Every structure is written in structure tokens, then in C-alpha cells.
Amino acid sequence: MRRDRGLALLLAATVSPLLLVVGCSAPATSPATTAASVSPATTATATAAPPPAVRVAGTLTEDLKSPWGLAELPDGDLLVSSRDARTVTRIAVRDGHHTSLGVVPGVTPAGEGGLLGLAYRDGTLYAYLTSATDNRIVRMRYGGAAGDRLGAPEPVLTGIPKGFIHNGGRIAFGPDGMLYAGTGETGQRGLAQDKGSLGGKILRMTPDGRPAPGNPFPGSVVYSYGHRNVEGLAWDAAGHLWASEFGQDTWDELNLVRPGRNYGWPLAEGRAGRPGLTDPVARWHPSEASPSGIAYARGAIWMAALRGQRLWRVPLAGTELSGRPQAFFTREYGRLRTVLATAGGRGLWLTTSNTDTRGTPRPGDDRILRLEFTP
């Protein structure tokens, strides 16, 4: 994704950055606090318990190639997709042992496309992938009598626009049991505002790919629109949907997603304050973010940043921010792609993304890091 290289970090990494708060001014008090911008309508006024910090407790596994999707199995083991190799690998959380489940047929990797997001439910693995003609969601039986093998892919939803860039790719089951997907506008900006297109949207569907009951547009899987490229989906403890989104040159976004809302692209980037457009809850310059996966745990959204090479903690009080976003691991592990809360909320899994052709791989890349919360 091209960025305007004239946009630099607001302050050097060795200097405590100031928080840009729209409609108020408050000095930064922590050297890890960000230059994120907070929408005035969502600045929390209630006192909330501070969310925990996080530290790397160890490396679960190494030598992964272009890891993208991550799903947790009922026993705690992980499934990880390789965007470019088109494979799914099982990772044992006991010792990091790899078990290859094979190549997923029909994947055509190119640019930002390939084998992307994963979601697991009731013996079935769902995958968002780029085919020769489109982006699509498929499902494959896994486990049971078949053992450590994937069944043949069965299409769930086809016809999502594909491109060399902005393919979206994150999928997740919501607390309502429906399957959600974040898509991109493939560089064709007009698709984001076209409610007849599946590009530049958040989609909501039944596990069989039909429009979910209660969707805002009758007969459509479109749940929200006006998105540029959504690669992060997560629900908070109250069931609110949050999504991370790549901006163009000025602002990346964290959005509180409501059905039928227009999130502005390409009419606006970041906060517009325009009738009919929904502003983000928080925004970052791309040099500090370029967000991919997000997770909710311990009262905060945790957001993995690619170009920004850091993990953001965004503390929440309901649908409002309860404090300034804070960065962890800045440039320590390179590009960060996917973050997943562990079963029981004891910690987080975090994947690096340095072998995705845009990073600088180090020995052992890519890896899955085991994070634990600290007081």
C-alpha cells in the first residue's frame, strides 16, 4: 500500500509524543502514550480501572512464512494460515510443534491476496482466500475421523472483489453466531460507497453464507460500508463490534461498527464531522499504525500495527475511550499482523509479519509470540 512518505512520525521515538485530542488538550504523561487522535464524542468521562500492561512471555514457534490468519481450537492449539504458501499449519501450544494440514486448493496469491483470515467453529475451518477470479470465503471439515487433514473447500460466499492491494481478509464469528468478514475496495475507491458491491464493507452472514437475519439492507450480506480496507474485527464484553481500518495517507482508524452506517471512504479519511458519515473512535498516522488484526481483552482493544511495528492498547469504557492509546514493543519485533486473545483471557497470541515481502526478516521470522498481562 503506497503511503505519502512526506508524512513522518509526529515526534521521534526517543521523545514522549503528545496525544492529539480533538476538542480538548491534555499533556501526555507516559513515554509510551501515542499520537493518536480521539473523537470528542467518544472521549470517556467516567473513571475506569486502568487496563493491564502486557509483556512477551516467550516465543511459541518460529520459521513461519507469511502468516496471516490465526484460529484457536477447543484444546487451545492454534491454526495459522500462510498467505503465500497457501497452507494451514497446526501449532501445538504445549511445545510449538508444527503439523502441516496441507495446501488449500484454489488459492491464487498475489500482492496482498492469498490465504488470509481463519475462523474455526464446531469441527469446521472457515477461510477467506483470493482465488483466480475473486476473494471468497470457504469452509473445510477438520478433525474427527479425518484426523489432521482438511476436507475439500466448500464455497460459503463468493464474488468479493479482488485486487493486488486492499483485499481485506479478516473473518470471525460474532457473539450472535453469525460470520463477519472485513473486505477491501481493491484500490477502486468507488466500491466502498456502492452498497451493491461486497468490496470496502463489513459483511454479516449465516454460517452458510446467507444474509443474516436483521441485516440493515434486505437480502444483502452488507452490514456497514464506506471502508477502505478492514483487516481487524473484535467484539468487546458487551457485544459491540470494533474494526480497524487502513487509511490512505493521513489517518488509520479504529471504528465502533453499527449496522447500516457509512464510514466515509473515499469521501473522508479520519474524522470528517459530516452528516451521514460515522467518525472513528480513534485515529493514527499510518507511520504509527497501518493496523491489521485486533482483539479485545481486559477492557481494551489490542491492535497489531504493520508499518508502525507496535502493538496498541486502546482502553475502553463501554463505547468510549477511557484513556489514551498506548504502544508496546515499538520496533522490537518488526511488523505485527494478528493478535488473538487466549482462551480464558489470560493473555494474547501475536504474530509477526516480516516475510510478507514488505518487512525485513530476522533469523527465526516469522513467529508467534506468547504475551501475558501484567498489573
Side-chain angles (χ1 to χ4, degrees):
M1 182 185 311
R2 283 191 172 271
R3 301 286 196 189
D4 183 351
R5 296 187 180 274
L7 283 172
L9 288 172
L10 295 180
L11 292 173
T14 56
V15 180
S16 298
L18 296 178
L19 177 67
L20 301 180
V21 182
V22 181
C24 63
S25 60
T29 58
S30 167
T33 301
T34 161
S37 176
V38 179
S39 173
T42 54
T43 302
T45 56
T47 301
V54 69
R55 73 176 188 91
V56 174
T59 298
L60 174 64
T61 194
E62 298 183 334
D63 299 319
L64 299 172
K65 301 306 176 187
S66 59
W68 212 102
L70 194 65
E72 189 171 49
L73 295 170
D75 65 0
D77 282 359
L78 302 175
L79 299 181
V80 59
S81 64
S82 168
R83 184 191 70 184
D84 301 332
R86 304 170 293 148
T87 57
V88 176
T89 301
R90 180 169 181 154
I91 310 295
V93 295
R94 180 184 67 258
D95 56 10
H97 178 72
H98 293 202
T99 301
S100 176
L101 307 188
V103 172
V104 176
V107 182
T108 306
E112 295 175 3
L115 184 58
L116 304 176
L118 299 177
Y120 178 86
R121 181 181 178 184
D122 298 334
T124 301
L125 180 65
Y126 290 75
Y128 186 115
L129 61 85
T130 308
S131 76
T133 58
D134 61 4
N135 283 305
R136 56 181 55 192
I137 299 170
V138 303
R139 61 185 176 186
M140 299 162 280
R141 295 296 300 172
Y142 174 62
D148 276 333
R149 292 183 297 171
L150 293 174
E154 173 191 352
V156 172
L157 181 70
T158 62
I160 303 169
K162 62 170 282 188
F164 193 78
I165 58 173
H166 305 176
N167 289 287
R170 195 68 61 183
I171 56 175
F173 280 98
D176 57 1
M178 298 297 107
L179 180 63
Y180 292 72
T183 74
E185 35 78 299
T186 72
Q188 301 182 58
R189 298 182 174 196
L191 295 183
Q193 290 294 319
D194 179 1
K195 292 191 285 292
S197 170
L198 300 182
K201 308 294 189 297
I202 293 175
L203 311 177
R204 177 176 178 262
M205 68 202 79
T206 69
D208 295 323
R210 298 187 303 272
N215 274 6
F217 307 109
S220 174
V221 296
V222 172
Y223 190 69
S224 63
Y225 66 107
H227 299 286
R228 186 169 181 266
N229 191 32
V230 175
E231 290 190 5
L233 300 171
W235 288 263
D236 63 26
H240 301 116
L241 174 59
W242 298 83
S244 61
E245 182 166 344
F246 288 85
Q248 172 73 25
D249 296 320
T250 310
W251 295 113
D252 295 330
E253 301 176 356
L254 178 67
N255 286 298
L256 174 65
V257 180
R258 304 289 196 186
R261 295 283 185 90
N262 181 353
Y263 287 82
W265 181 255
L267 307 175
E269 181 180 355
R271 184 175 181 272
R274 291 173 52 179
L277 304 184
T278 301
D279 287 335
V281 173
R283 60 187 184 178
W284 294 260
H285 289 305
S287 58
E288 295 183 311
S290 298
S292 188
I294 63 174
Y296 176 83
R298 300 290 185 92
I301 293 290
W302 302 84
M303 186 177 81
L306 292 166
R307 183 179 169 191
Q309 299 185 30
R310 64 199 76 183
L311 177 69
W312 287 107
R313 183 192 67 188
V314 186
L316 300 176
T319 59
E320 303 177 342
L321 294 182
S322 62
R324 299 179 180 91
Q326 185 175 4
F328 295 85
F329 318 129
T330 301
R331 302 184 187 88
E332 291 184 35
Y333 299 99
R335 293 162 61 83
L336 303 178
R337 171 72 66 181
T338 297
V339 57
L340 180 70
T342 62
R346 295 183 297 273
L348 301 168
W349 299 112
L350 180 64
T351 69
T352 65
S353 190
N354 297 311
T355 60
D356 65 353
T357 74
R358 294 186 177 178
T360 303
R362 312 172 191 185
D365 276 338
D366 272 310
R367 62 197 76 214
I368 300 177
L369 302 173
R370 187 196 307 266
L371 309 185
E372 67 178 21
F373 298 117
T374 60

